[in-house]
Amino acid sequence: MECDGILLGMGNPLLDISAVVNQDFLNKYDIKPNNAILAEDKHLPMYDEMAAMPTVEYIAGGATQNSIRVAQWMLPFSGATSYMGSVGKDKYGAEMKKNATASGVNVHYYEDETAPTGTCAVCVLDGERSLVANLSAANCYKVDHLKRPENWALVEKAKFYYIAGFFLTVSPESIQLVAEHAAANNKVFSMNLSAPFICEFFKDPQERALPYMDFVFGNETEARTFSKVHGWETDNVEEIALKISQWPKASGTHKRITVITQGADPVVVAEDGKVNLFPVIPLPKEKLVDTNGAGDAFVGGFLSQLVQGKPIAECVRAGCYASNVIIQRPGCTYPEKPDFA
């Protein structure tokens, strides 16, 4: 099987600034637990405040980049994955490139001259994470970078694509180009609902991309927000997953499969008008370090089997394995080799 560059990701590369915080800190910056938002002016002082905390860690992040790194880690061959996004011309950008390349991912960053590399505050309280992203350079990705021959070659080479919904805030034009290429060439295009605010405030670009999605990933909160925004009047995650899977498609080559994670509750998979539930690997509370990257890792594990032509049940099993590993470690980090068989 020809696996070189088989999986391409595009997204917002961010350096995670991760620290254990208290409830007062969340209250001070008006942050809800287990949420993901874009930074406003009121949030900007929190990055320096967290950098001064004794528990602070810096980890290469950004949702899509996390998933692609995990997929590469799970795959038995190097060079299977590529990634594009925008960083600043600074030490954080250089550090991230070093990290991603060491993970075996072929990164083609657009380097922005004017803005610093984006950062994401990861506020950990009782193992749950809340994310505040200051996109900076990540917000500067240009479709012209994608169209350069050396970068479009990555699109041509790939057979599977994954883009987190967060990229809808940056370059919907790039998403459409890749989505249309996938549909025209019978390739597999997948995205993630990513956060309630994407479903609420980026509804139009999300709806434009949805017909092209062969796989839709998300968690239960995002699925319920999607349902509310579309007036479906149901909170039932199984029903919502089914309705998303039945949304009209741009190409009939692949059916759409919706995959919704629910924390410790079973994974919901909707396809062919049916819903299947897959239990996750139970984890005692004392082993939980933080949930940052759990959803990203699930997608990475899932995709690592999908690109090898494995059945959906096996893809879900790999996703559950990867997320179980990640939540027992700080941020989206993993041991040298996976123990998945």
Side-chain angles (χ1 to χ4, degrees), residues 43-312:
H43 297 115
L44 297 180
M46 70 187 287
Y47 296 91
D48 284 341
E49 195 174 331
M50 289 177 72
M53 290 178 181
T55 57
V56 72
E57 292 188 77
Y58 296 89
I59 302 159
T64 307
Q65 186 164 246
N66 284 343
S67 296
I68 296 297
R69 282 173 56 235
V70 169
Q72 181 60 65
W73 172 67
M74 292 278 291
L75 280 161
F77 22 76
S78 60
T81 60
S82 308
Y83 175 81
M84 284 189 256
S86 176
V87 297
K89 262 198 152 147
D90 53 26
K91 69 173 196 291
Y92 284 165
E95 185 62 30
M96 199 135 51
K97 185 166 191 174
K98 195 173 100 185
N99 260 344
T101 306
S103 305
V105 180
N106 177 19
V107 291
H108 282 215
Y109 290 145
Y110 167 72
E111 289 187 349
D112 189 78
E113 303 273 353
T114 55
T117 294
T119 48
C120 182
V122 181
C123 310
V124 180
L125 179 61
D126 298 331
E128 295 291 336
R129 60 82 176 134
S130 211
L131 310 176
V132 184
N134 184 11
L135 295 183
S136 295
N139 208 24
C140 302
Y141 190 82
K142 305 284 187 289
V143 73
D144 301 347
H145 178 262
L146 174 64
K147 290 176 176 172
R148 282 186 206 156
E150 68 272 25
N151 298 326
W152 190 253
L154 298 181
V155 178
E156 297 270 0
K157 185 188 269 191
K159 294 184 176 64
F160 295 82
Y161 306 92
Y162 175 67
I163 303 176
F166 294 119
F167 202 52
L168 288 165
T169 73
V170 173
S171 188
E173 196 183 347
S174 298
I175 294 173
Q176 285 302 118
L177 268 186
V178 174
E180 286 165 13
H181 169 85
N185 294 278
N186 298 336
K187 296 175 176 183
V188 176
F189 182 76
S190 51
M191 284 192 74
N192 203 309
L193 300 177
S194 287
F197 84 86
I198 299 288
C199 303
E200 287 173 308
F201 305 118
F202 294 87
K203 178 176 177 249
D204 293 346
Q206 189 178 56
E207 282 187 2
R208 280 196 295 277
L210 193 54
Y212 295 94
M213 295 181 208
D214 301 307
F215 284 84
V216 176
F217 296 96
N219 67 25
E220 74 279 40
T221 316
E222 294 149 10
R224 289 185 178 123
T225 305
F226 188 93
S227 171
K228 192 169 120 195
V229 165
H230 290 88
W232 288 349
E233 295 182 354
T234 177
D235 258 355
N236 182 304
V237 173
E238 294 176 40
E239 276 179 46
I240 297 164
L242 210 48
K243 283 172 95 82
I244 293 173
S245 72
Q246 291 164 342
W247 194 284
K249 282 199 92 246
S251 150
T253 309
H254 308 287
K255 61 189 176 185
R256 181 180 301 112
I257 299 178
T258 309
V259 184
I260 305 294
T261 58
Q262 309 187 90
D265 293 327
V267 178
V268 176
V269 177
E271 61 174 316
D272 292 334
K274 298 192 299 288
V275 170
N276 287 307
L277 299 177
F278 296 88
V280 303
I281 305 162
L283 185 75
K285 180 79 175 158
E286 63 274 11
K287 284 197 164 178
L288 174 68
V289 174
D290 73 56
T291 56
N292 180 29
D296 304 335
F298 175 87
V299 173
F302 188 102
L303 293 173
S304 74
Q305 305 307 299
L306 186 71
V307 304
Q308 297 181 76
K310 300 285 174 66
I312 295 301

